[in-house]
Amino acid sequence: MSTDLILALDVPTREEAAPLLRQLRGSLNWVKIGLQMFTAHGPDYVRAVADEGFNVFLDLKLHDIPNTVAKAVESLAPLPIGMLTLHTCGGREMMVAAQKAAAQTKPGLLLLGVTVLTSTNAAGLAETGVNAAPESQVLRLAKLATDAGLRGLVCSPLEVPVLRRELPAHMQLVTPGIRSAAAAGTDDQKRTMTPAEAARAGSSFIVVGRPILKAPDPAAAARAIMEELRQRHNQTQANDG
């Protein structure tokens, strides 16, 4: 299984993003647009990034009553997006409605169920009344999402091994919380892995923001991560052969 890289375009303005995208064009395929950029610049910015040649992962983490989320999916379907997130804690009925809306309006759209945010640990879960360990809660939500018909999940790379054991092989696992060994533990991400570790665990995609955005040469940083993933894939193929 190969692992692809998604750039988390978590910057304040499109003016700041523009030179980064110019540098990174040709270095990676996917760009994630989250709440910050979507709220500031709206659907037109999604189209602009797609026009630059990138595949767009729209990370809005939809969470509302089933009908509202389904209508939101329908509204977003005309945009040039390949992935869209919703919160699995919205429940089975909400996820079923969202998946049905996607199938009817944009069959190729990959709806990703967000399980437990990588900024959340056991203490954070307990504050919200969830007394399970993060791994247990992720697995519970992941199975619920699978039963609801979703074909992908967002989770910490630490939970990927158990999900690969417990879920169908076709599930796409998208993992933020990717840091170099030197940077681990230096920011708000609490459950992290390096790119190679995440690929080894079975991540379909890794989401990387700050390690690329804050690098002196973002394009070189992206290429280095892609090379790390490529080497890991080649090593796996050699071992399997």
Side-chain angles (χ1 to χ4, degrees):
M1 174 188 296
S2 61
T3 305
D4 206 353
L5 170 65
I6 302 172
L7 169 69
L9 195 62
D10 297 330
V11 295
T13 67
R14 62 188 302 168
E15 290 75 22
E16 186 172 339
L20 289 167
L21 293 178
R22 283 196 299 271
Q23 292 178 57
L24 291 166
R25 192 185 299 122
S27 296
L28 77 167
N29 298 318
W30 285 89
V31 169
K32 179 178 80 71
I33 296 176
L35 277 174
Q36 182 180 20
M37 291 295 279
F38 191 78
T39 302
H41 303 295
D44 284 345
Y45 188 62
V46 174
R47 298 184 187 98
V49 172
D51 286 345
E52 292 283 339
F54 297 100
N55 298 320
V56 177
F57 166 17
L58 187 57
D59 185 20
L60 300 184
K61 299 182 178 71
L62 303 174
H63 185 180
D64 211 309
I65 63 173
N67 184 65
T68 297
V69 171
K71 293 300 183 184
V73 172
E74 291 175 5
S75 296
L76 293 164
L79 292 177
I81 57 175
M83 302 182 195
L84 174 67
T85 51
L86 64 158
H87 269 295
T88 56
C89 56
R92 183 194 306 272
E93 186 180 354
M94 186 201 80
M95 289 187 281
V96 168
Q99 185 60 48
K100 182 178 179 181
Q104 291 175 343
T105 57
K106 197 181 188 75
L109 179 62
L110 180 62
L111 288 186
L112 298 169
V114 177
T115 54
V116 177
L117 299 176
T118 51
S119 60
T120 302
N121 54 17
L125 285 177
E127 288 176 345
T128 64
V130 177
N131 294 316
E135 181 178 283
S136 298
Q137 181 67 359
V138 167
L139 182 58
R140 179 181 296 112
L141 293 171
K143 288 183 174 180
L144 184 64
T146 303
D147 291 343
L150 266 61
R151 297 179 293 113
L153 296 163
V154 179
C155 61
S156 156
L158 298 184
E159 282 87 53
V160 169
V162 68
L163 295 183
R164 284 294 177 213
R165 289 195 301 270
E166 298 288 339
L167 299 182
H170 71 265
M171 289 297 285
Q172 300 291 298
L173 301 183
V174 179
T175 56
I178 303 299
R179 295 290 182 267
S180 68
T186 61
D187 54 38
D188 58 355
Q189 300 284 14
K190 296 182 172 64
R191 296 169 13 253
T192 66
M193 278 188 180
T194 67
E197 288 170 341
R200 186 181 305 114
S203 295
S204 309
F205 297 87
I206 61 171
V207 181
V208 181
R210 279 166 281 194
I212 294 175
L213 298 174
K214 295 186 177 298
D217 185 340
R223 286 193 294 269
I225 293 172
M226 293 289 288
E227 177 62 18
E228 187 175 343
L229 295 176
R230 187 190 66 80
Q231 289 181 1
R232 175 59 199 167
H233 179 62
N234 290 344
Q235 181 183 354
T236 300
Q237 286 189 316
N239 291 341
D240 291 343

PDB file of all heavy atoms in Angstrom, residues 60-93:
ATOM      1  N   LEU A  60     -14.020  20.552   6.657  1.00  0.00           N
ATOM      2  CA  LEU A  60     -14.981  21.402   7.375  1.00  0.00           C
ATOM      3  C   LEU A  60     -15.555  20.715   8.610  1.00  0.00           C
ATOM      4  O   LEU A  60     -16.235  21.355   9.407  1.00  0.00           O
ATOM      5  CB  LEU A  60     -16.119  21.820   6.438  1.00  0.00           C
ATOM      6  CG  LEU A  60     -15.703  22.617   5.203  1.00  0.00           C
ATOM      7  CD1 LEU A  60     -16.938  23.050   4.422  1.00  0.00           C
ATOM      8  CD2 LEU A  60     -14.857  23.829   5.576  1.00  0.00           C
ATOM      9  N   LYS A  61     -15.345  19.415   8.749  1.00  0.00           N
ATOM     10  CA  LYS A  61     -15.817  18.667   9.930  1.00  0.00           C
ATOM     11  C   LYS A  61     -17.288  18.956  10.217  1.00  0.00           C
ATOM     12  O   LYS A  61     -17.660  19.395  11.301  1.00  0.00           O
ATOM     13  CB  LYS A  61     -14.940  18.980  11.144  1.00  0.00           C
ATOM     14  CG  LYS A  61     -13.480  18.597  10.968  1.00  0.00           C
ATOM     15  CD  LYS A  61     -12.663  18.879  12.224  1.00  0.00           C
ATOM     16  CE  LYS A  61     -11.226  18.450  12.052  1.00  0.00           C
ATOM     17  NZ  LYS A  61     -10.478  19.321  11.113  1.00  0.00           N
ATOM     18  N   LEU A  62     -18.128  18.662   9.239  1.00  0.00           N
ATOM     19  CA  LEU A  62     -19.555  18.916   9.365  1.00  0.00           C
ATOM     20  C   LEU A  62     -20.148  18.122  10.536  1.00  0.00           C
ATOM     21  O   LEU A  62     -19.831  16.944  10.730  1.00  0.00           O
ATOM     22  CB  LEU A  62     -20.270  18.533   8.073  1.00  0.00           C
ATOM     23  CG  LEU A  62     -19.786  19.233   6.795  1.00  0.00           C
ATOM     24  CD1 LEU A  62     -20.481  18.654   5.574  1.00  0.00           C
ATOM     25  CD2 LEU A  62     -20.002  20.742   6.881  1.00  0.00           C
ATOM     26  N   HIS A  63     -21.019  18.779  11.294  1.00  0.00           N
ATOM     27  CA  HIS A  63     -21.643  18.129  12.454  1.00  0.00           C
ATOM     28  C   HIS A  63     -22.916  18.895  12.780  1.00  0.00           C
ATOM     29  O   HIS A  63     -22.860  20.005  13.319  1.00  0.00           O
ATOM     30  CB  HIS A  63     -20.687  18.141  13.647  1.00  0.00           C
ATOM     31  CG  HIS A  63     -21.214  17.389  14.835  1.00  0.00           C
ATOM     32  ND1 HIS A  63     -20.497  17.296  16.005  1.00  0.00           N
ATOM     33  CD2 HIS A  63     -22.371  16.716  15.049  1.00  0.00           C
ATOM     34  CE1 HIS A  63     -21.182  16.581  16.895  1.00  0.00           C
ATOM     35  NE2 HIS A  63     -22.339  16.229  16.330  1.00  0.00           N
ATOM     36  N   ASP A  64     -24.056  18.306  12.452  1.00  0.00           N
ATOM     37  CA  ASP A  64     -25.345  18.946  12.688  1.00  0.00           C
ATOM     38  C   ASP A  64     -26.412  17.866  12.570  1.00  0.00           C
ATOM     39  O   ASP A  64     -26.086  16.676  12.504  1.00  0.00           O
ATOM     40  CB  ASP A  64     -25.570  20.075  11.672  1.00  0.00           C
ATOM     41  CG  ASP A  64     -26.404  21.224  12.242  1.00  0.00           C
ATOM     42  OD1 ASP A  64     -27.489  20.925  12.788  1.00  0.00           O
ATOM     43  OD2 ASP A  64     -25.981  22.385  12.137  1.00  0.00           O
ATOM     44  N   ILE A  65     -27.678  18.253  12.528  1.00  0.00           N
ATOM     45  CA  ILE A  65     -28.723  17.262  12.365  1.00  0.00           C
ATOM     46  C   ILE A  65     -28.582  16.640  10.969  1.00  0.00           C
ATOM     47  O   ILE A  65     -28.010  17.247  10.054  1.00  0.00           O
ATOM     48  CB  ILE A  65     -30.115  17.866  12.571  1.00  0.00           C
ATOM     49  CG1 ILE A  65     -30.419  18.936  11.516  1.00  0.00           C
ATOM     50  CG2 ILE A  65     -30.240  18.435  13.982  1.00  0.00           C
ATOM     51  CD1 ILE A  65     -31.842  19.447  11.580  1.00  0.00           C
ATOM     52  N   PRO A  66     -29.077  15.406  10.783  1.00  0.00           N
ATOM     53  CA  PRO A  66     -28.844  14.705   9.512  1.00  0.00           C
ATOM     54  C   PRO A  66     -29.252  15.490   8.275  1.00  0.00           C
ATOM     55  O   PRO A  66     -28.495  15.535   7.281  1.00  0.00           O
ATOM     56  CB  PRO A  66     -29.675  13.431   9.676  1.00  0.00           C
ATOM     57  CG  PRO A  66     -29.678  13.177  11.144  1.00  0.00           C
ATOM     58  CD  PRO A  66     -29.731  14.526  11.778  1.00  0.00           C
ATOM     59  N   ASN A  67     -30.417  16.097   8.283  1.00  0.00           N
ATOM     60  CA  ASN A  67     -30.872  16.812   7.094  1.00  0.00           C
ATOM     61  C   ASN A  67     -29.955  17.985   6.765  1.00  0.00           C
ATOM     62  O   ASN A  67     -29.646  18.234   5.589  1.00  0.00           O
ATOM     63  CB  ASN A  67     -32.307  17.311   7.293  1.00  0.00           C
ATOM     64  CG  ASN A  67     -32.859  17.967   6.038  1.00  0.00           C
ATOM     65  OD1 ASN A  67     -33.042  17.329   5.008  1.00  0.00           O
ATOM     66  ND2 ASN A  67     -33.114  19.269   6.127  1.00  0.00           N
ATOM     67  N   THR A  68     -29.519  18.723   7.779  1.00  0.00           N
ATOM     68  CA  THR A  68     -28.650  19.875   7.547  1.00  0.00           C
ATOM     69  C   THR A  68     -27.313  19.443   6.959  1.00  0.00           C
ATOM     70  O   THR A  68     -26.790  20.073   6.028  1.00  0.00           O
ATOM     71  CB  THR A  68     -28.428  20.651   8.857  1.00  0.00           C
ATOM     72  OG1 THR A  68     -29.698  21.150   9.305  1.00  0.00           O
ATOM     73  CG2 THR A  68     -27.471  21.810   8.666  1.00  0.00           C
ATOM     74  N   VAL A  69     -26.726  18.377   7.482  1.00  0.00           N
ATOM     75  CA  VAL A  69     -25.448  17.893   6.956  1.00  0.00           C
ATOM     76  C   VAL A  69     -25.616  17.375   5.530  1.00  0.00           C
ATOM     77  O   VAL A  69     -24.779  17.636   4.657  1.00  0.00           O
ATOM     78  CB  VAL A  69     -24.849  16.813   7.879  1.00  0.00           C
ATOM     79  CG1 VAL A  69     -23.643  16.147   7.229  1.00  0.00           C
ATOM     80  CG2 VAL A  69     -24.439  17.443   9.215  1.00  0.00           C
ATOM     81  N   ALA A  70     -26.707  16.661   5.272  1.00  0.00           N
ATOM     82  CA  ALA A  70     -26.948  16.172   3.917  1.00  0.00           C
ATOM     83  C   ALA A  70     -27.074  17.334   2.934  1.00  0.00           C
ATOM     84  O   ALA A  70     -26.506  17.289   1.829  1.00  0.00           O
ATOM     85  CB  ALA A  70     -28.212  15.317   3.890  1.00  0.00           C
ATOM     86  N   LYS A  71     -27.785  18.382   3.324  1.00  0.00           N
ATOM     87  CA  LYS A  71     -27.941  19.547   2.455  1.00  0.00           C
ATOM     88  C   LYS A  71     -26.611  20.268   2.262  1.00  0.00           C
ATOM     89  O   LYS A  71     -26.331  20.812   1.180  1.00  0.00           O
ATOM     90  CB  LYS A  71     -28.986  20.501   3.028  1.00  0.00           C
ATOM     91  CG  LYS A  71     -30.404  19.944   3.039  1.00  0.00           C
ATOM     92  CD  LYS A  71     -30.884  19.613   1.635  1.00  0.00           C
ATOM     93  CE  LYS A  71     -32.326  19.135   1.637  1.00  0.00           C
ATOM     94  NZ  LYS A  71     -32.777  18.722   0.273  1.00  0.00           N
ATOM     95  N   ALA A  72     -25.784  20.282   3.306  1.00  0.00           N
ATOM     96  CA  ALA A  72     -24.459  20.896   3.176  1.00  0.00           C
ATOM     97  C   ALA A  72     -23.605  20.128   2.184  1.00  0.00           C
ATOM     98  O   ALA A  72     -22.891  20.724   1.359  1.00  0.00           O
ATOM     99  CB  ALA A  72     -23.765  20.951   4.535  1.00  0.00           C
ATOM    100  N   VAL A  73     -23.664  18.800   2.231  1.00  0.00           N
ATOM    101  CA  VAL A  73     -22.919  17.981   1.265  1.00  0.00           C
ATOM    102  C   VAL A  73     -23.403  18.278  -0.150  1.00  0.00           C
ATOM    103  O   VAL A  73     -22.608  18.433  -1.083  1.00  0.00           O
ATOM    104  CB  VAL A  73     -23.066  16.485   1.601  1.00  0.00           C
ATOM    105  CG1 VAL A  73     -22.461  15.624   0.485  1.00  0.00           C
ATOM    106  CG2 VAL A  73     -22.393  16.167   2.934  1.00  0.00           C
ATOM    107  N   GLU A  74     -24.722  18.369  -0.324  1.00  0.00           N
ATOM    108  CA  GLU A  74     -25.272  18.697  -1.637  1.00  0.00           C
ATOM    109  C   GLU A  74     -24.791  20.060  -2.120  1.00  0.00           C
ATOM    110  O   GLU A  74     -24.474  20.236  -3.305  1.00  0.00           O
ATOM    111  CB  GLU A  74     -26.794  18.678  -1.580  1.00  0.00           C
ATOM    112  CG  GLU A  74     -27.398  17.296  -1.382  1.00  0.00           C
ATOM    113  CD  GLU A  74     -28.908  17.349  -1.218  1.00  0.00           C
ATOM    114  OE1 GLU A  74     -29.491  18.455  -1.351  1.00  0.00           O
ATOM    115  OE2 GLU A  74     -29.512  16.289  -0.958  1.00  0.00           O
ATOM    116  N   SER A  75     -24.719  21.030  -1.205  1.00  0.00           N
ATOM    117  CA  SER A  75     -24.276  22.378  -1.583  1.00  0.00           C
ATOM    118  C   SER A  75     -22.813  22.410  -1.976  1.00  0.00           C
ATOM    119  O   SER A  75     -22.401  23.202  -2.832  1.00  0.00           O
ATOM    120  CB  SER A  75     -24.530  23.349  -0.418  1.00  0.00           C
ATOM    121  OG  SER A  75     -25.909  23.470  -0.147  1.00  0.00           O
ATOM    122  N   LEU A  76     -22.007  21.556  -1.335  1.00  0.00           N
ATOM    123  CA  LEU A  76     -20.570  21.539  -1.594  1.00  0.00           C
ATOM    124  C   LEU A  76     -20.204  20.671  -2.797  1.00  0.00           C
ATOM    125  O   LEU A  76     -19.112  20.815  -3.355  1.00  0.00           O
ATOM    126  CB  LEU A  76     -19.822  21.025  -0.356  1.00  0.00           C
ATOM    127  CG  LEU A  76     -19.876  21.940   0.876  1.00  0.00           C
ATOM    128  CD1 LEU A  76     -19.449  21.174   2.124  1.00  0.00           C
ATOM    129  CD2 LEU A  76     -19.010  23.172   0.675  1.00  0.00           C
ATOM    130  N   ALA A  77     -21.099  19.790  -3.206  1.00  0.00           N
ATOM    131  CA  ALA A  77     -20.790  18.827  -4.259  1.00  0.00           C
ATOM    132  C   ALA A  77     -20.329  19.453  -5.577  1.00  0.00           C
ATOM    133  O   ALA A  77     -19.461  18.882  -6.256  1.00  0.00           O
ATOM    134  CB  ALA A  77     -21.991  17.913  -4.499  1.00  0.00           C
ATOM    135  N   PRO A  78     -20.865  20.613  -5.996  1.00  0.00           N
ATOM    136  CA  PRO A  78     -20.383  21.184  -7.266  1.00  0.00           C
ATOM    137  C   PRO A  78     -18.936  21.661  -7.230  1.00  0.00           C
ATOM    138  O   PRO A  78     -18.342  21.899  -8.292  1.00  0.00           O
ATOM    139  CB  PRO A  78     -21.341  22.362  -7.501  1.00  0.00           C
ATOM    140  CG  PRO A  78     -22.561  22.048  -6.708  1.00  0.00           C
ATOM    141  CD  PRO A  78     -22.046  21.335  -5.500  1.00  0.00           C
ATOM    142  N   LEU A  79     -18.365  21.825  -6.034  1.00  0.00           N
ATOM    143  CA  LEU A  79     -16.984  22.295  -5.937  1.00  0.00           C
ATOM    144  C   LEU A  79     -16.010  21.200  -6.378  1.00  0.00           C
ATOM    145  O   LEU A  79     -16.292  20.006  -6.237  1.00  0.00           O
ATOM    146  CB  LEU A  79     -16.665  22.718  -4.505  1.00  0.00           C
ATOM    147  CG  LEU A  79     -17.382  23.956  -3.980  1.00  0.00           C
ATOM    148  CD1 LEU A  79     -17.023  24.194  -2.519  1.00  0.00           C
ATOM    149  CD2 LEU A  79     -17.036  25.173  -4.813  1.00  0.00           C
ATOM    150  N   PRO A  80     -14.830  21.591  -6.873  1.00  0.00           N
ATOM    151  CA  PRO A  80     -13.830  20.611  -7.299  1.00  0.00           C
ATOM    152  C   PRO A  80     -13.072  20.037  -6.107  1.00  0.00           C
ATOM    153  O   PRO A  80     -11.911  20.347  -5.863  1.00  0.00           O
ATOM    154  CB  PRO A  80     -12.920  21.427  -8.219  1.00  0.00           C
ATOM    155  CG  PRO A  80     -12.995  22.816  -7.668  1.00  0.00           C
ATOM    156  CD  PRO A  80     -14.412  22.983  -7.185  1.00  0.00           C
ATOM    157  N   ILE A  81     -13.754  19.211  -5.329  1.00  0.00           N
ATOM    158  CA  ILE A  81     -13.152  18.613  -4.131  1.00  0.00           C
ATOM    159  C   ILE A  81     -13.168  17.095  -4.264  1.00  0.00           C
ATOM    160  O   ILE A  81     -14.075  16.517  -4.859  1.00  0.00           O
ATOM    161  CB  ILE A  81     -13.873  19.039  -2.836  1.00  0.00           C
ATOM    162  CG1 ILE A  81     -15.369  18.673  -2.882  1.00  0.00           C
ATOM    163  CG2 ILE A  81     -13.690  20.528  -2.599  1.00  0.00           C
ATOM    164  CD1 ILE A  81     -16.126  18.958  -1.590  1.00  0.00           C
ATOM    165  N   GLY A  82     -12.162  16.457  -3.689  1.00  0.00           N
ATOM    166  CA  GLY A  82     -12.081  14.997  -3.718  1.00  0.00           C
ATOM    167  C   GLY A  82     -12.372  14.366  -2.381  1.00  0.00           C
ATOM    168  O   GLY A  82     -12.736  13.187  -2.307  1.00  0.00           O
ATOM    169  N   MET A  83     -12.193  15.145  -1.295  1.00  0.00           N
ATOM    170  CA  MET A  83     -12.451  14.649   0.057  1.00  0.00           C
ATOM    171  C   MET A  83     -13.175  15.730   0.853  1.00  0.00           C
ATOM    172  O   MET A  83     -12.940  16.930   0.651  1.00  0.00           O
ATOM    173  CB  MET A  83     -11.144  14.291   0.783  1.00  0.00           C
ATOM    174  CG  MET A  83     -10.276  13.256   0.122  1.00  0.00           C
ATOM    175  SD  MET A  83      -8.808  12.921   1.158  1.00  0.00           S
ATOM    176  CE  MET A  83      -7.760  12.053  -0.015  1.00  0.00           C
ATOM    177  N   LEU A  84     -14.017  15.287   1.790  1.00  0.00           N
ATOM    178  CA  LEU A  84     -14.767  16.185   2.657  1.00  0.00           C
ATOM    179  C   LEU A  84     -14.955  15.501   3.999  1.00  0.00           C
ATOM    180  O   LEU A  84     -15.276  14.310   4.053  1.00  0.00           O
ATOM    181  CB  LEU A  84     -16.133  16.507   2.034  1.00  0.00           C
ATOM    182  CG  LEU A  84     -17.119  17.331   2.862  1.00  0.00           C
ATOM    183  CD1 LEU A  84     -16.601  18.769   3.051  1.00  0.00           C
ATOM    184  CD2 LEU A  84     -18.498  17.341   2.202  1.00  0.00           C
ATOM    185  N   THR A  85     -14.775  16.257   5.088  1.00  0.00           N
ATOM    186  CA  THR A  85     -14.868  15.658   6.419  1.00  0.00           C
ATOM    187  C   THR A  85     -16.186  15.978   7.120  1.00  0.00           C
ATOM    188  O   THR A  85     -16.787  17.038   6.932  1.00  0.00           O
ATOM    189  CB  THR A  85     -13.730  16.146   7.335  1.00  0.00           C
ATOM    190  OG1 THR A  85     -13.668  17.576   7.301  1.00  0.00           O
ATOM    191  CG2 THR A  85     -12.400  15.563   6.925  1.00  0.00           C
ATOM    192  N   LEU A  86     -16.595  15.024   7.968  1.00  0.00           N
ATOM    193  CA  LEU A  86     -17.687  15.227   8.908  1.00  0.00           C
ATOM    194  C   LEU A  86     -17.341  14.493  10.193  1.00  0.00           C
ATOM    195  O   LEU A  86     -16.504  13.580  10.197  1.00  0.00           O
ATOM    196  CB  LEU A  86     -19.008  14.721   8.337  1.00  0.00           C
ATOM    197  CG  LEU A  86     -19.151  13.222   8.055  1.00  0.00           C
ATOM    198  CD1 LEU A  86     -20.639  12.837   8.025  1.00  0.00           C
ATOM    199  CD2 LEU A  86     -18.537  12.873   6.715  1.00  0.00           C
ATOM    200  N   HIS A  87     -17.952  14.920  11.294  1.00  0.00           N
ATOM    201  CA  HIS A  87     -17.644  14.315  12.595  1.00  0.00           C
ATOM    202  C   HIS A  87     -18.435  13.026  12.782  1.00  0.00           C
ATOM    203  O   HIS A  87     -19.667  13.023  12.692  1.00  0.00           O
ATOM    204  CB  HIS A  87     -17.968  15.291  13.737  1.00  0.00           C
ATOM    205  CG  HIS A  87     -16.824  16.146  14.135  1.00  0.00           C
ATOM    206  ND1 HIS A  87     -15.677  15.636  14.702  1.00  0.00           N
ATOM    207  CD2 HIS A  87     -16.643  17.482  14.062  1.00  0.00           C
ATOM    208  CE1 HIS A  87     -14.833  16.629  14.968  1.00  0.00           C
ATOM    209  NE2 HIS A  87     -15.386  17.751  14.579  1.00  0.00           N
ATOM    210  N   THR A  88     -17.747  11.938  13.084  1.00  0.00           N
ATOM    211  CA  THR A  88     -18.434  10.675  13.331  1.00  0.00           C
ATOM    212  C   THR A  88     -19.304  10.733  14.578  1.00  0.00           C
ATOM    213  O   THR A  88     -20.291   9.992  14.681  1.00  0.00           O
ATOM    214  CB  THR A  88     -17.431   9.520  13.481  1.00  0.00           C
ATOM    215  OG1 THR A  88     -16.494   9.850  14.523  1.00  0.00           O
ATOM    216  CG2 THR A  88     -16.673   9.281  12.190  1.00  0.00           C
ATOM    217  N   CYS A  89     -18.974  11.600  15.521  1.00  0.00           N
ATOM    218  CA  CYS A  89     -19.778  11.694  16.739  1.00  0.00           C
ATOM    219  C   CYS A  89     -21.149  12.313  16.453  1.00  0.00           C
ATOM    220  O   CYS A  89     -21.998  12.385  17.343  1.00  0.00           O
ATOM    221  CB  CYS A  89     -19.050  12.454  17.836  1.00  0.00           C
ATOM    222  SG  CYS A  89     -18.504  14.102  17.381  1.00  0.00           S
ATOM    223  N   GLY A  90     -21.394  12.741  15.212  1.00  0.00           N
ATOM    224  CA  GLY A  90     -22.732  13.160  14.828  1.00  0.00           C
ATOM    225  C   GLY A  90     -23.704  12.003  14.751  1.00  0.00           C
ATOM    226  O   GLY A  90     -24.922  12.210  14.704  1.00  0.00           O
ATOM    227  N   GLY A  91     -23.181  10.771  14.714  1.00  0.00           N
ATOM    228  CA  GLY A  91     -24.035   9.600  14.783  1.00  0.00           C
ATOM    229  C   GLY A  91     -24.312   8.938  13.447  1.00  0.00           C
ATOM    230  O   GLY A  91     -24.064   9.484  12.375  1.00  0.00           O
ATOM    231  N   ARG A  92     -24.838   7.732  13.544  1.00  0.00           N
ATOM    232  CA  ARG A  92     -25.093   6.909  12.366  1.00  0.00           C
ATOM    233  C   ARG A  92     -26.041   7.587  11.380  1.00  0.00           C
ATOM    234  O   ARG A  92     -25.791   7.632  10.178  1.00  0.00           O
ATOM    235  CB  ARG A  92     -25.670   5.560  12.783  1.00  0.00           C
ATOM    236  CG  ARG A  92     -25.907   4.592  11.622  1.00  0.00           C
ATOM    237  CD  ARG A  92     -26.775   3.421  12.051  1.00  0.00           C
ATOM    238  NE  ARG A  92     -26.223   2.765  13.223  1.00  0.00           N
ATOM    239  CZ  ARG A  92     -25.330   1.773  13.185  1.00  0.00           C
ATOM    240  NH1 ARG A  92     -24.907   1.344  12.008  1.00  0.00           N
ATOM    241  NH2 ARG A  92     -24.894   1.226  14.289  1.00  0.00           N
ATOM    242  N   GLU A  93     -27.187   8.100  11.883  1.00  0.00           N
ATOM    243  CA  GLU A  93     -28.185   8.684  10.987  1.00  0.00           C
ATOM    244  C   GLU A  93     -27.606   9.851  10.202  1.00  0.00           C
ATOM    245  O   GLU A  93     -27.864   9.992   9.003  1.00  0.00           O
ATOM    246  CB  GLU A  93     -29.406   9.138  11.781  1.00  0.00           C
ATOM    247  CG  GLU A  93     -30.555   9.633  10.910  1.00  0.00           C
ATOM    248  CD  GLU A  93     -31.763  10.071  11.705  1.00  0.00           C
ATOM    249  OE1 GLU A  93     -31.778   9.886  12.944  1.00  0.00           O
ATOM    250  OE2 GLU A  93     -32.700  10.627  11.097  1.00  0.00           O
TER     251      GLU A  93
END
